[in-house]
Amino acid sequence: MGKGKLKVTLYLGDEARPVGNVKVLIKNPVSGDTLYELTADENGVTPSVELDAPDRENSLDPYGSMPRSGRYDVHVPPQKGYKHVIVHGVDIFDGETSILPVQMHPAIEGDTRAENTDEYFIPEKHGADEDNGRGQPRRNTARGRAPLPDPPETAPLTAAAGFAVPAASITANDVAIPTHITVHLGSPNAYARNVRVPFADYIKNVASSEIFPTWNEAALYANIYAIISFALNRMFTVWYRSRGFDFDITNNTAFDQFFVEGRNIFENISRIVDRIFNEFLRRPGRREPFFSQYCSGTTVTCRGMSQWGSQDLAVRGYTPIQILRYYYPSDIDIVESNNFTSNTGTYPGAPLREGSTGDDVRLMQTYLNRISGNFYIPSVGVPDGVFGSSTKNAVIAFQRINNLVPDGIIGRSTWYAITKIYVGVKQLAELDSEGERIGIGRTPPTAVVSTGARGEYVVELQFLLNYISAYFPSVPFVVEDGVFRDATKRAVTEFQKEFGLTPDGVVGPATWNKLYDVYWSIHGTVPPAPEPPAPPVQPEFPGIPLRIGSSGEDVRLMQTYLNAISRVFPSIPTLTADGVFGPMTQNSVMAFQWLFGLQPDGVIGPLTWNRIASVYGNLPAAAAPQFPGTLIRTGSRGSDVTLMQQYLNTIAQSYPSIPALSADGIFGPMTERSVMAFQNLFGLSPDGIIGPLTWNLIVSVHNRVTM
């Protein structure tokens, strides 16, 4: 018996807002016994837990009959105004980490239907795509099961996936990478729901449904490239929409790819998709993404790639492009598109890290500051385009929340993850703002509106549909143009289906009432996002350059700032903050100027003044201590623990029920008891863990009692 890990993330609106401080139960699906009771932190993430799983070898045998994964049920009980969520059959593989992303939906007041529980069923993985051939099956063909040749020694390779690098990368800016894809949960003509899914999340879901996370990395890359290319081909050729359907792709594997609503994904697959979601297959001389058919290669074979055969090739040493060229035409290329349907900035091509400067850094700092209004990550401070320690800390905290490698470097995966979350955060904020502008009251209109209608009622209707769509992905977005066209009718129909009304596409009293009920239920459940922390105010340049011989409070201020900066950048000499500009101050200024790309003349003019103030404003020590981005609990050590112990001791002088403790930087039982006493006293959950809420309240109370 092996072991795998599971963690659960809970969120609203395309991961733009976390749902934190809620209970999550991991259960045995047979006995119903609760194996773990977890609490999601303020960022909506539970701790990882270890679960039994069949031995890894079972998932590497294409014809094996033994179970390949452990299966568990996850329950999120109804709480805090959200619907009950049950996910059956979360699969756990030996040696792999599973992530279950749960999109929470607000419970609608007065709605007692069974639909007030979201219930998902993940089918058991017996083998990769065993029951279909992507619409064109050819059974009993040998390719994929015949003896495999050695890897071709001279096969051209690509830079993708960190394998061998070509002389020049190939770009394909005429193919747009969509932000979302609409999936029909059934065969094309079946009566079934549509769901709108972020494109990268769709690829992660399909890959986690189609293949095994235990496979060789080259096989994972090859299959994910095929999945991306298949989906982009459907969208580029407008395959379904040009035939009158209101979706981009189905989840029926006789036609398309296996998307399982509500399923868990695998951490290694997720990270691969984050790296390559805008890369796909294309043949020279063709514009469209290659239609990359594939099938299991065991019970079903086809003209495309054998999934199990790709694993065999990978074990033999084939790279992703060699696997793909084995099954597809030999001139197939992996190409990259930097054309995105949302204009939010394209990855600059090289990673941003501590010491980087420029507009790309400033853009990421701006995005991170906005995201910090919804998630508990440290604020960057003033977006000055200088990648310092505060930016690195914010990046690391963001990466930890979003299952990225927490290295503090903004590579392509982190760049696009930040961009994606920023877009979602901004959209929710704009919807809230738009609702205030339109002035949604408590009394629904009585007018009946339908196809062809125009005017203020249609504007209000379209706003309500879009607001609800951000929390219920089965309701499509519409253009808010004040005209009731077919797209608005489809959105009304999907809303009516979602909430148990007659799906006639006509907005009468019953539909208006339900629109208002849902809108105000969301408002009552979802707390308003806090504003991002305001950047520190920079002191104005005094108007006269400071140089040797200058004196006064402006000199003392710059000396104080330079001393604080030198603690982070030791190449800057420390000095006495005496308000006298002497040789030591000049040396410190010159070192700062050299480090930050300014003319090293030792004079503090306007550029140097503003840069010193900006860098100082980005230092965590410039304001109240920032939450470090990771939970502080029993076993934690270091300066953050020492700081919290010191603060708690100070607070204990005013609140004697909080035990005093030794500020030794070691989080032991005494520190835990002190934290729990503080949490009890100030109305927090007494779990003895310092998360963002507890950290910020300790800092706030400390500052209050020391004033």
Side-chain angles (χ1 to χ4, degrees):
M1 182 65 69
K3 297 285 186 182
K5 292 183 179 180
L6 171 65
K7 67 177 174 179
V8 182
T9 63
L10 302 102
Y11 64 91
L12 295 165
D14 291 348
E15 303 173 49
R17 186 173 293 176
V19 178
N21 300 308
V22 297
K23 291 191 184 307
V24 177
L25 308 178
I26 314 296
K27 296 193 173 190
N28 183 308
V30 178
S31 67
D33 294 339
T34 297
L35 305 176
Y36 290 97
E37 181 176 315
L38 309 173
T39 300
D41 65 17
E42 291 87 348
N43 286 313
V45 181
T46 70
S48 293
V49 294
E50 197 169 63
L51 296 164
D52 289 337
D55 289 334
R56 190 177 186 87
E57 288 71 21
N58 292 7
S59 60
L60 301 174
D61 182 357
Y63 299 103
S65 58
M66 299 296 290
R68 301 174 188 274
S69 65
R71 291 172 62 75
Y72 298 88
D73 291 349
V74 174
H75 291 241
V76 184
Q79 53 199 306
K80 296 178 65 175
Y82 293 103
K83 295 169 73 172
H84 185 193
V85 181
I86 305 173
V87 184
H88 299 278
V90 174
D91 42 0
I92 305 297
F93 283 85
D94 183 14
E96 302 296 337
T97 296
S98 286
I99 302 165
L100 179 63
V102 178
Q103 185 174 37
M104 301 290 285
H105 298 131
I108 307 307
E109 188 175 351
D111 191 347
T112 59
R113 299 174 301 133
E115 285 81 353
N116 236 16
T117 294
D118 289 331
E119 195 163 8
Y120 305 101
F121 296 86
I122 302 172
E124 188 170 0
K125 289 169 73 73
H126 293 289
D129 184 29
E130 289 187 342
D131 60 348
N132 65 81
R134 255 13 104 192
Q136 298 192 41
R138 291 193 301 154
R139 295 182 181 275
N140 301 320
T141 58
R143 197 173 196 190
R145 288 184 288 171
L148 300 173
D150 291 329
E153 293 183 3
T154 58
L157 306 177
T158 77
F163 294 92
V165 181
S169 60
I170 304 171
T171 58
N173 287 326
D174 53 337
V175 174
I177 305 299
T179 57
H180 291 77
I181 184 169
T182 299
V183 186
H184 184 67
L185 302 179
S187 60
N189 290 302
Y191 182 84
R193 294 171 58 242
N194 294 340
V195 290
R196 188 186 69 261
V197 186
F199 183 71
D201 292 351
Y202 166 81
I203 301 300
K204 294 175 184 181
N205 185 298
V206 171
S208 296
S209 302
E210 293 268 11
I211 55 180
F212 294 96
T214 52
W215 283 4
N216 184 286
E217 188 178 62
L220 296 179
Y221 271 97
N223 280 275
I224 291 169
Y225 278 125
I227 290 166
I228 295 170
S229 191
F230 188 105
L232 288 178
N233 180 277
R234 285 294 197 223
M235 299 191 77
F236 185 85
T237 60
V238 202
W239 181 260
Y240 287 108
R241 293 190 184 273
S242 66
R243 289 159 172 77
F245 295 103
D246 58 350
F247 50 82
D248 301 308
I249 200 165
T250 76
N251 76 338
N252 186 303
T253 52
F255 300 90
D256 296 301
Q257 305 185 125
F258 198 24
F259 173 89
V260 180
E261 186 182 22
R263 76 153 296 121
N264 61 293
I265 60 174
F266 302 106
E267 187 173 63
N268 60 338
I269 286 176
S270 175
R271 288 180 174 173
I272 292 172
V273 174
D274 284 332
R275 292 184 203 121
I276 67 170
F277 75 96
N278 64 329
E279 297 177 9
F280 56 93
L281 309 179
R282 192 164 71 172
R283 298 189 68 185
R286 307 295 293 267
R287 294 183 61 234
E288 75 278 4
F290 181 70
F291 186 59
S292 45
Q293 290 180 280
Y294 57 88
C295 51
S296 71
T298 53
T299 59
V300 175
T301 56
C302 59
R303 288 194 290 271
M305 183 170 64
S306 159
Q307 293 171 310
W308 279 106
S310 71
Q311 166 65 0
D312 290 340
L313 289 171
V315 170
R316 302 263 323 209
Y318 279 60
T319 64
I321 191 64
Q322 290 171 333
I323 294 170
L324 293 164
R325 287 175 177 168
Y326 178 80
Y327 288 109
Y328 299 133
S330 60
D331 60 354
I332 201 82
D333 278 319
I334 298 172
V335 299
E336 176 184 358
S337 173
N338 288 317
N339 181 15
F340 296 89
T341 54
S342 64
N343 184 21
T344 52
T346 299
Y347 177 58
L352 306 176
R353 49 170 46 93
E354 197 164 12
S356 298
T357 60
D359 289 339
D360 292 322
V361 174
R362 184 177 290 106
L363 180 69
M364 289 291 98
Q365 291 171 325
T366 301
Y367 285 6
L368 286 165
N369 273 350
R370 184 63 190 83
I371 291 168
S372 72
N374 285 39
F375 290 85
Y376 290 91
I377 65 174
S379 171
V380 171
V382 178
D384 62 352
V386 179
F387 199 128
S389 58
S390 60
T391 302
K392 181 177 180 179
N393 291 338
V395 171
I396 290 172
F398 177 89
Q399 290 169 325
R400 286 192 175 119
I401 295 167
N402 290 278
N403 304 306
L404 299 164
V405 177
D407 56 8
I409 298 171
I410 302 178
R412 187 165 69 164
S413 299
T414 300
W415 173 284
Y416 286 122
I418 291 172
T419 299
K420 171 191 166 187
I421 300 298
Y422 169 78
V423 169
V425 165
K426 185 168 177 285
Q427 179 190 68
L428 290 185
E430 288 172 348
L431 284 168
D432 286 334
S433 174
E434 183 73 3
E436 293 177 6
R437 186 185 69 78
I438 290 177
I440 304 298
R442 292 287 180 173
T443 305
T446 57
V448 176
V449 293
S450 58
T451 302
R454 295 171 177 264
E456 61 180 289
Y457 289 127
V458 179
V459 170
E460 183 174 342
L461 167 67
Q462 291 171 333
F463 161 74
L464 288 168
L465 289 168
N466 283 346
Y467 185 90
I468 293 165
S469 175
Y471 300 93
F472 292 87
S474 61
V475 180
F477 277 106
V478 295
V479 176
E480 294 184 31
D481 59 2
V483 182
F484 198 126
R485 297 188 172 94
D486 287 344
T488 301
K489 181 177 180 179
R490 283 195 295 272
V492 170
T493 301
E494 293 299 328
F495 171 84
Q496 292 167 328
K497 290 179 189 174
E498 178 71 37
F499 294 99
L501 302 172
T502 302
D504 57 9
V506 176
V507 183
T511 300
W512 277 120
N513 287 337
K514 184 57 70 175
L515 284 163
Y516 268 60
D517 286 347
V518 174
Y519 174 80
W520 285 111
S521 291
I522 294 172
H523 256 279
T525 298
V526 180
E531 287 297 317
V537 177
Q538 295 192 82
E540 291 186 9
F541 177 64
I544 300 173
L546 305 178
R547 50 170 47 97
I548 285 185
S550 299
S551 62
E553 289 306 311
D554 292 325
V555 175
R556 190 191 311 277
L557 179 68
M558 289 292 101
Q559 291 169 328
T560 302
Y561 281 12
L562 285 166
N563 279 342
I565 294 168
S566 72
R567 290 196 290 269
V568 178
F569 299 95
S571 63
I572 299 172
T574 57
L575 58 152
T576 302
D578 57 4
V580 178
F581 200 124
M584 286 298 297
T585 303
Q586 183 185 53
N587 291 341
S588 186
V589 171
M590 292 176 67
F592 175 90
Q593 291 169 324
W594 182 88
L595 185 63
F596 288 93
L598 301 173
Q599 178 67 30
D601 57 8
V603 176
I604 302 178
L607 286 178
T608 300
W609 174 284
N610 290 334
R611 180 57 63 86
I612 290 173
S614 174
V615 173
Y616 173 79
N618 277 325
L619 299 177
Q626 298 278 344
F627 177 64
T630 56
L631 299 177
I632 303 174
R633 54 183 7 138
T634 299
S636 299
R637 292 170 176 260
S639 58
D640 293 320
V641 176
T642 303
L643 180 67
M644 289 293 98
Q645 290 168 329
Q646 292 169 341
Y647 275 27
L648 286 166
N649 280 341
T650 301
I651 295 168
Q653 296 173 18
S654 299
Y655 297 92
S657 62
I658 299 173
L661 60 152
S662 174
D664 58 2
I666 301 171
F667 199 121
M670 283 300 297
T671 303
E672 183 180 48
R673 282 197 289 273
S674 185
V675 171
M676 291 176 69
F678 175 90
Q679 291 168 325
N680 260 321
L681 188 62
F682 290 94
L684 299 177
S685 176
D687 58 5
I689 299 171
I690 301 178
L693 286 179
T694 300
W695 173 285
N696 291 334
L697 190 54
I698 289 173
V699 171
S700 175
V701 174
H702 172 270
N703 291 344
R704 190 168 69 238
V705 301
T706 55
M707 287 179 62

